[in-house]
Amino acid sequence: MVASAESRTPDHPSSTAADGADLASFGYEPVLHRKLGRFASFAAGFSFVSILTTIFQFFGLGYSFGGAAFFWTWPLVFLGQLLVALNFAELAARYPISGAIYQWARRLGGEAVGWFAGWMMVIAQIVTAAAAAIALQVVLPSIWDGFQLIGTETALTSADGAMNAVLLGSVLLAFTTTINVIGIDLMSKINSIGVTIEIVGVAAVIALFFTHAERGPAVVLQTDTAAPGPYWAAFLVSGLMAAYVMVGFNSAGELSEETKNPRQVAPRTILSALTASALGGGLILLGALMAAPSLTDGALGAEGLGYVITAKLGTPAGKVVLGCVAVAVIVCTLAIQTAGSRLLFSMARDGKLPFATQLAAVHPRYGTPVLPAVVIGVLGIALLVVNLGNPAIFATLASVCIVMIYLAYALVTVPLLIRRIKGTHGFERTDADGTPLFSLGRWGIPVNIAAVAWGLAMAVNLAWPRPEIYTPQGGGWWMLWAAPLFVLLSVAIGTVVYRTVTTRPAVAETRTPAVEPAVEPA
């Protein structure tokens, strides 16, 4: 029996049952707790992007290369990522399944494509969680010097700062792992409260900057403080900041099995999380450039937004704003780990990982895949410890995880484009109630082509072995080529693992083919 439109509203009591039946049509038993409403779904994507966390981390890097005109990398990256997000929104409406990147890629490109998309995304999320966790070093010592537990130098590029960042990041990952184990209900409440605080913090920072401006918006046309050499080269490097910030908007899709009415909610929250982040982040960048006491004394490149805030606010008010940033870092790490654990769970449920039975197990009381959350947390901490004392840890981790995410995205957009061109993607127009699903319609092919071109170009740009990013204080050739080497190593190890696990049966018995055949052209 088809549910009525009224019964499919996210807050209606029968919504969970209808969503469970929808999931069963893909061959999976509904074992995760479906607790997320519209705002919680939006919060998952917004907190993963986390403009307060990542702009605080990367503003100095972007400015030190591109000068004030690096601002234009922000709208450029947003437009490129919007192309990807539009394709993802279509897929989220058709495949509301946990582990979205893996599930979408395998249904479009086959088992191997799907597996490697999931493999790359899992690795990227582990690296991203570690990179996000060390952002506490940018904030906490500025609030209270007691948080500097190792040495006296707080900068991430110093040995003391890097070691202290590892310590603070490890404590944070232990905390987020505990929350993820306890359950999606607690996680969503903490995440929603944290996102609300972050939004208030974003508004406060924007208001502070614009009411204390030292110069007009024409500052974004200045290139005289950029790195030496041709400006286009400096501009490409400065784009690392925006490229790192605007990823993870697909988190709403990763949590589809815990979202009410995901076919309607997830596409909207994917797009709204990215758009809201782009708008808020753009205003922060513009405001900071207008309010900075100086553009030429080196402080803006070295200290980033913290320099502007402390210069414009008294100590108590400035610490309140920095406290909002600390909250943003915490919920960002929490959201990344949650998305990663659901991806691990989804792949393990299909028997596509070592120890699949254990990874696919869901706690009967908490309704969460416990082991995947623990694995993400432990590996994130291990990654930090391995890089202990490395002053380039920040830029290296960031660049590597960006490249992996862009490649995982490409393993979705490329097979989707092939299906579109052949006219065989078979996207239904409405859900079970007859409600229209998000669709690009005739714009599907051109938007998809642009998304593929954008993603591949950015992956090459970000993986390029630039000494300024990978070996700012010198280092071996392997550090300079860290991103491409990491990708090759991941693929090599992944090939071995894939060959090992593909002969195993799925943990959760499916009632539909692993890769669904195309049913009709769009």
Side-chain angles (χ1 to χ4, degrees), residues 10 74 102-103 150 173 201 218 225 242 299 309 324 354 397 429 453 462 486:
W74 188 261
Y102 156 70
Q103 294 287 354
I150 300 175
L173 283 168
T225 51
I309 288 178
C324 292
L397 286 180
R429 303 288 187 176
L462 296 167
F486 190 86

Side-chain angles (χ1 to χ4, degrees), residues 391-488:
I393 178 177
F394 176 53
T396 301
L397 286 180
S399 299
V400 167
C401 74
I402 295 168
V403 173
M404 295 292 285
I405 289 175
Y406 272 76
L407 291 176
Y409 285 177
L411 289 177
V412 175
T413 56
V414 170
L416 175 58
L417 176 59
I418 294 173
R419 288 289 191 102
R420 289 189 196 278
I421 292 174
K422 291 182 177 180
T424 58
H425 59 69
F427 283 173
E428 63 270 29
R429 303 288 187 176
T430 63
D431 64 13
D433 308 321
T435 305
L437 296 173
F438 178 84
S439 176
L440 291 174
R442 62 179 180 173
W443 291 99
I445 290 180
V447 169
N448 205 157
I449 290 174
V452 169
W454 161 259
L456 295 178
M458 284 302 293
V460 171
N461 176 39
L462 296 167
W464 203 261
R466 298 181 176 94
E468 303 90 341
I469 298 298
Y470 294 101
T471 54
Q473 297 184 10
W477 66 270
W478 60 272
M479 293 178 62
L480 184 62
W481 290 83
L485 286 175
F486 190 86
V487 171
L488 290 175

Side-chain angles (χ1 to χ4, degrees), residues 300-347:
L300 192 57
E303 302 176 36
L305 292 190
Y307 159 67
V308 186
I309 288 178
T310 54
K312 295 300 178 179
L313 281 181
T315 301
K319 288 184 176 180
V320 170
V321 173
L322 290 174
C324 292
V325 179
V327 170
V329 173
I330 293 170
V331 296
C332 174
T333 308
L334 179 62
I336 294 169
Q337 188 177 19
T338 304
S341 66
R342 293 335 184 246
L343 180 52
L344 272 178
F345 162 76
S346 186
M347 295 180 71

Side-chain angles (χ1 to χ4, degrees), residues 16-39:
T16 300
D19 292 333
D22 190 18
L23 177 64
S25 69
F26 290 100
Y28 298 116
E29 291 295 328
V31 293
L32 302 177
H33 291 179
R34 202 173 288 273
K35 300 281 189 177
L36 304 182
R38 289 189 181 95
F39 183 77

